[in-house]
Amino acid sequence: MKHSGIKEEDNTSTVTQFLLLGFSDLPNLQGFLFGMFSIMYVTIIIGNSFIILITRIDPTLHKPMYFFLTNFSFLEICYVSVTLPRVLYSIWTQDKTISLLACATQMCLFLLLAATDSILLAVMSYDRYVAICNPLHYPLVMNQTKCTQLAVGSWLGGMPFQLGQTCQIFSLHFCKSNKIDHFFCDIPPVIKLACGDTSVNELYIYVVAILLAAIPFILILTSYSKIIATILRLPTAQGRAKAFSTCSSHLVVVILFYVSASITYLMPKSTHSALSDKLLSLFYTIVTPIFNPMIYSLRNKEVIAALRRLLLRA
């Protein structure tokens, strides 16, 4: 383990470099993993960029729903770009080292974007709630100013909590090992390497998880319970089926993201295993961003119609 700044008076040292082990326990699959992750990354970039492009150039999609969808697609590109390029670099070069500062930066950006993801999903469910349950007031409630405020709030809402959490974690003393058995600098594998009592840090993780994950999730469930109650009162079966299809698509993404993230961050440190952490992290860092274009666009008739108009113009 690489140390610097050793002090004889208190026999402490400061880790200046970590080793991100990633998927090094699968030496025979490195080429396959590089190819698979490369395809996933390109798919996420192209798919979400397509959403941003088509919602910007087609006037019929200049609605609050697609404004938030554009934000969500851009967020997914940023979200996956915090982790996947580093994974691809490590597999290609077999260089597992990452500096303390780079590790802290990656963790901070990842947590900030995860918080934005959580809040924005709640905002999107609120938008659907107003549209379905209060359609007459929808243009007034979801005006341009309100939409901008909600979007900015989503991007900035988790910043003070996640900056504080990152600073708190990297103020710990690391002495057990410098090997992070994960593919990026996530909280559970990093905090495992800390010496001494980390109960305060774990308590802070729970508090932040409740504020930035549990509360938005409850708001989403509340919105959709009211949406479903309204849908059930619709007079036509076709209208009910269309609305249920939209709700189920959003809820799949919500459940996939929240359940995997909640298990990762709310489980006690002692119950974590490297394999479970990696598998769960793959779900909310890679799988969900891949599903985003398919669930929110390819099953959306307005987006399909906009795509046809774009192709006809070309």
Side-chain angles (χ1 to χ4, degrees), residues 115-132:
T116 303
D117 208 332
S118 178
I119 299 171
L120 192 55
L121 284 171
V123 168
M124 292 170 73
S125 70
Y126 173 72
D127 171 70
R128 292 298 84 206
Y129 161 74
V130 178
I132 294 174

Side-chain angles (χ1 to χ4, degrees), residues 49-153:
S49 296
F50 160 75
I51 296 176
I52 296 171
L53 176 65
I54 200 164
T55 53
R56 294 295 297 173
I57 64 176
D58 195 294
T60 64
L61 300 182
H62 293 173
K63 303 175 183 178
M65 173 182 175
Y66 298 105
F67 170 75
F68 293 123
L69 185 56
T70 299
N71 274 268
F72 191 70
S73 297
F74 179 68
L75 171 64
E76 297 290 72
I77 293 173
C78 296
Y79 191 54
V80 77
S81 296
V82 171
T83 56
L84 258 186
R86 173 71 207 193
V87 173
L88 293 172
Y89 171 80
S90 295
I91 294 176
W92 181 260
T93 64
Q94 291 300 301
D95 180 7
K96 311 296 182 185
T97 60
I98 184 170
S99 69
L100 190 70
L101 178 60
C103 188
T105 302
Q106 185 185 55
M107 178 183 289
C108 186
L109 290 174
F110 174 78
L111 293 176
L112 287 172
L113 294 171
T116 303
D117 208 332
S118 178
I119 299 171
L120 192 55
L121 284 171
V123 168
M124 292 170 73
S125 70
Y126 173 72
D127 171 70
R128 292 298 84 206
Y129 161 74
V130 178
I132 294 174
C133 299
N134 297 287
L136 296 179
H137 296 92
Y138 183 67
L140 180 64
V141 175
M142 301 304 292
N143 56 64
Q144 186 174 358
T145 301
K146 182 69 169 291
C147 291
T148 303
Q149 290 172 345
L150 288 170
V152 172

Side-chain angles (χ1 to χ4, degrees), residues 243-264:
F244 271 125
S245 176
T246 303
C247 293
S248 63
S249 297
H250 188 198
L251 285 174
V252 166
V253 174
V254 167
I255 291 171
L256 189 65
F257 174 79
Y258 278 106
V259 170
S260 57
S262 297
I263 292 174
T264 300

Side-chain angles (χ1 to χ4, degrees), residues 151-301:
V152 172
S154 299
W155 283 93
L156 302 180
M159 185 173 292
F161 301 100
Q162 302 296 28
L163 284 172
Q165 184 162 239
T166 304
C167 292
Q168 187 185 52
I169 289 172
F170 281 89
S171 66
L172 293 170
H173 173 51
F174 299 99
C175 63
K176 294 179 181 178
S177 171
N178 71 334
K179 295 180 180 178
I180 301 175
D181 197 359
H182 205 39
F183 60 90
F184 71 101
C185 290
D186 202 2
I187 292 177
V190 171
I191 208 169
K192 275 184 180 180
L193 306 181
C195 303
D197 184 16
T198 59
S199 57
V200 174
N201 302 86
E202 292 185 59
L203 178 61
Y204 191 85
I205 292 170
Y206 289 128
V207 171
V208 172
I210 290 171
L211 289 173
L212 300 180
I215 292 177
F217 184 60
I218 291 171
L219 292 175
I220 290 171
L221 293 182
T222 302
S223 296
Y224 272 98
S225 64
K226 294 182 178 181
I227 288 171
I228 291 171
T230 302
I231 290 171
L232 291 175
R233 293 195 295 268
L234 292 176
T236 64
Q238 184 178 4
R240 290 194 296 270
K242 179 181 178 181
F244 271 125
S245 176
T246 303
C247 293
S248 63
S249 297
H250 188 198
L251 285 174
V252 166
V253 174
V254 167
I255 291 171
L256 189 65
F257 174 79
Y258 278 106
V259 170
S260 57
S262 297
I263 292 174
T264 300
Y265 292 104
L266 295 179
M267 281 174 58
K269 185 178 68 170
S270 58
T271 62
H272 281 275
S273 70
L275 180 60
S276 65
D277 282 347
K278 291 177 188 178
L279 291 177
L280 288 167
S281 296
L282 284 174
F283 271 99
Y284 62 81
T285 58
I286 299 175
V287 176
T288 302
I290 287 178
F291 283 164
N292 177 41
M294 293 183 286
I295 292 176
Y296 288 105
S297 295
L298 297 182
R299 295 180 62 186
N300 186 301
K301 291 182 179 180

